[in-house]
């Protein structure tokens, strides 16, 4: 059996395509699920609600309509987050655990990652605050405290983070900082183990993080406030993140195209079934990662001519993936005025054909602003892990 590792397992092009899939799901989800909950099917992201999964099941069994894309992304789109977390685990191992990787202390590493996240977030946060002030959309009277927490990337650890985040999904920056801390302090040191009798810790520690996260959530089946808090923090990240770490360290067997196609096709139906049971729902990220990775692996061939054509087919996803971090920053800034000025002005509207026009405007403006935001970031030097090195 051939074990694929490194670029043979996931190339840079394939990773960017996965980022493209993930950000498309997140951006469309964050737009579609803001509609009137009476007309869209809500998701099981931070809490499990059997009625949401049952409603999607009934919708699909009853015959889909022209609003299937809206319902699909409203319900499933948030699963782009675990794809990003998987790629984070995969990328961290590839970047920092090789023989030629740049060395740093834990403090240097964490500060470096904080600077990267802060640099990416800052301008979007400033604009977002002005937009929220314009529409009187602050969540709390003592918003200054939560602004400071957001700037420090620790807003996730405060009480009831879902009530204090601003603007929108910027809480994810705090989650990523937590992931970087866990990686550097707990996961990364196992890579340095030289004694053969202790090398099992290289796989045991990531697996143990998954099990601890699962054990913490299992008793909270009806404790919505507590499980929501955990899932705004690194607990929700451990399964997809550990999958990325383990795949980068140990590789994965080469699978036939038929098997890859079967996994990719089966992923969504299996994911829907998982949303009908709390304990299965906890493993949902594993399903969506298996399906997404299998999908992009279908676009590879040993023949160079065929591979160039397949790469061309993936180009829209790859382009979107390269732009994904900037898209993530700007899309809440585009969503807010569209809903405030159009959709929420007066009674909340139901689904109608005009909604697709608004969705198109949202996508176009988001992509244009993301390209501008990327240009803005290029004007300022990126932080370095070790400033003393040239």
């Amino acid at each position: 059996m051939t074990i694929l590792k490194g670029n043979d397992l996931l190339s840079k092009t394939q990773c960017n395509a996965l980022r493209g899939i993930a950000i498309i799901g997140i951006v469309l989800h964050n737009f579609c699920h803001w509609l009137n909950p009476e007309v869209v099917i809500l998701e099981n992201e931070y809490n499990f609600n059997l009625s949401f999964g049952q409603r999607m099941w009934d919708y699909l069994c009853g015959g889909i309509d022209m609003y299937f894309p809206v319902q699909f992304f409203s319900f499933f789109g948030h699963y782009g987050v675990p794809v990003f977390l998987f790629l984070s685990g995969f990328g961290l191992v590839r970047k920092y655990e090789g023989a030629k990787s740049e060395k740093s202390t834990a403090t240097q590493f964490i500060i470096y990652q904080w600077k990267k996240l802060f640099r990416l977030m800052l301008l979007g946060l400033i604009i977002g605050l002005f937009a929220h002030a314009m529409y009187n959309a602050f969540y709390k009277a003592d918003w200054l405290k939560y602004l400071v927490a957001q700037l420090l990337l620790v807003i996730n650890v405060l009480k009831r983070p879902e009530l204090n985040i601003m603007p929108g999904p910027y809480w994810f920056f705090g989650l990523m900082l937590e992931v970087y801390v866990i990686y550097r302090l707990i996961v990364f040191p196992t890579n340095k183990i030289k004694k053969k009798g202790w090398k099992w810790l290289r796989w045991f520690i990531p697996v143990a993080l998954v099990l601890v996260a699962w054990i913490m959530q299992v008793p909270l089946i009806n404790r919505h406030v507590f499980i929501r808090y955990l899932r705004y923090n690194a607990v929700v990240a451990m399964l997809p993140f550990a999958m990325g770490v383990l795949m980068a360290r140990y590789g994965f067997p080469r699978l036939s195209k038929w098997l890859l196609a079967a996994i990719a096709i089966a992923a969504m139906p299996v994911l829907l079934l998982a949303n009908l049971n709390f304990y299965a729902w906890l493993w949902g990220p594993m399903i969506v990662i298996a399906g997404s990775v299998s999908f992009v692996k279908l676009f590879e061939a040993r023949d160079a001519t065929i591979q160039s054509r397949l790469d061309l087919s993936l180009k829209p996803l790859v382009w979107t993936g390269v732009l994904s971090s900037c898209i993530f920053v700007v899309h809440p800034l585009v969503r807010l005025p569209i809903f405030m000025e159009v959709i929420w002005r007066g009674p909340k509207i139901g689904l109608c054909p005009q909604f697709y026009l608004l969705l198109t405007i949202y996508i176009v403006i988001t992509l244009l602003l993301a390209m501008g935001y990327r240009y803005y970031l290029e004007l300022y030097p990126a932080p370095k892990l070790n400033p003393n090195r040239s």
Side-chain angles (χ1 to χ4, degrees):
M1 180 182 295
T2 304
I3 300 296
L4 301 176
K5 291 185 177 182
N7 287 331
D8 292 331
L9 176 58
L10 279 177
S11 66
K12 183 177 180 179
T13 295
Q14 291 169 334
C15 287
N16 281 326
L18 285 169
R19 291 186 183 92
I21 293 172
I23 198 62
I24 288 170
I26 291 169
V27 167
L28 294 182
H29 166 75
N30 285 341
F31 192 81
C32 294
H33 82 151
W34 261 26
L35 276 172
N36 187 340
E38 295 180 1
V39 298
V40 294
I41 304 171
L42 296 181
E43 74 284 358
N44 289 322
E45 184 173 5
Y46 308 106
N47 275 307
F48 176 79
N49 191 319
L50 177 60
S51 66
F52 295 163
Q54 187 65 55
R55 190 176 172 192
M56 175 57 82
W57 177 272
D58 293 340
Y59 172 74
L60 294 175
C61 292
I64 61 176
D65 54 24
M66 66 178 292
Y67 301 111
F68 170 72
V70 177
Q71 304 291 14
F72 178 88
F73 285 107
S74 175
F75 187 78
F76 287 113
H78 68 93
Y79 280 107
V81 171
V83 175
F84 274 123
L85 293 168
F86 164 80
L87 290 169
S88 295
F90 186 84
L92 286 170
V93 171
R94 294 287 308 280
K95 186 173 183 180
Y96 296 109
E97 295 186 10
K100 297 181 180 180
S101 298
E102 189 170 359
K103 309 304 179 186
S104 64
T105 65
T107 301
Q108 288 173 330
F109 178 87
I110 293 169
I111 291 175
Y112 165 70
Q113 299 297 346
W114 182 89
K115 287 180 178 178
K116 282 177 57 181
L117 293 169
F118 184 83
R119 172 177 173 267
L120 176 62
M121 174 192 69
L122 183 58
L123 180 60
L125 179 63
I126 293 171
I127 297 172
L129 291 174
F130 277 108
H132 278 67
M134 183 184 304
Y135 292 108
N136 193 27
F138 287 117
Y139 292 101
K140 290 282 187 179
D142 51 349
W143 58 270
L144 182 59
K145 176 176 72 173
Y146 300 108
L147 171 59
V148 173
Q150 180 66 63
L151 287 169
L152 295 176
L153 305 182
V154 296
I155 198 167
N156 307 56
V157 302
L158 300 185
K159 185 178 179 181
R160 298 299 298 270
E162 75 276 11
L163 300 180
N164 308 320
I165 53 175
M166 57 182 183
Y170 281 20
W171 62 269
F172 188 72
F173 290 108
L175 172 66
M176 284 307 306
L177 183 62
E178 293 176 357
V179 168
Y180 290 137
V181 171
I182 290 172
Y183 170 74
R184 187 59 181 81
L185 298 183
I186 301 176
V187 178
F188 176 78
T190 63
N191 180 62
K192 296 182 177 181
I193 295 174
K194 302 297 183 182
K195 292 184 179 181
K196 189 174 182 180
W198 291 97
K199 284 192 173 182
W200 56 274
L201 286 172
R202 297 184 74 243
W203 63 262
F204 177 79
I205 293 299
V207 171
L209 289 172
V210 173
L211 294 178
V212 169
W214 180 77
I215 291 169
M216 291 174 67
Q217 295 177 83
V218 164
L220 302 177
I221 182 170
N222 293 315
R223 306 290 295 275
H224 288 193
V225 172
F226 292 102
I227 198 169
R228 179 181 287 269
Y229 179 82
L230 292 179
R231 294 177 71 83
Y232 266 99
N233 285 279
V235 169
V236 72
M238 287 303 99
L239 174 57
F241 172 73
M243 288 180 66
V245 169
L246 292 172
M247 283 189 66
R249 284 183 173 180
Y250 296 101
F252 201 80
R254 183 188 296 276
L255 303 179
S256 69
K257 288 295 182 68
W258 287 107
L259 185 53
L260 289 171
I263 295 172
I265 293 170
M268 284 299 105
V270 174
L271 189 60
L272 176 57
L273 291 174
N275 274 268
L276 299 176
N277 179 274
F278 173 78
Y279 303 103
W281 167 70
L282 294 176
W283 299 97
M286 183 170 61
I287 301 169
V288 74
I289 289 167
S292 301
V293 172
S294 296
F295 174 76
V296 299
K297 292 293 287 181
L298 289 171
F299 290 82
E300 65 179 20
R302 297 184 181 182
D303 182 90
T305 303
I306 298 176
Q307 185 61 61
S308 64
R309 293 173 182 172
L310 292 174
D311 287 343
L312 188 62
S313 301
L314 278 180
K315 198 168 184 178
L317 284 178
V318 172
W319 180 83
T320 307
V322 170
L323 207 59
S324 60
S325 59
C326 295
I327 292 174
F328 180 81
V329 173
V330 305
H331 84 273
L333 314 178
V334 182
R335 175 185 62 176
L336 181 66
I338 291 178
F339 272 84
M340 288 294 189
E341 295 290 347
V342 181
I343 296 178
W344 286 348
R345 189 180 283 271
K348 288 188 178 181
I349 67 171
L351 284 175
C352 58
Q354 289 80 3
F355 179 76
Y356 281 115
L357 175 60
L358 293 176
L359 187 60
T360 301
I361 293 172
Y362 166 68
I363 293 170
V364 171
I365 296 177
T366 295
L367 292 177
L368 291 174
L369 286 180
M371 288 187 287
Y373 201 83
R374 188 182 183 197
Y375 174 75
Y376 153 79
L377 290 176
E378 290 175 351
L379 298 177
Y380 299 92
K384 293 182 179 181
L385 181 57
N386 190 340
N388 297 324
R389 293 184 63 174
S390 58

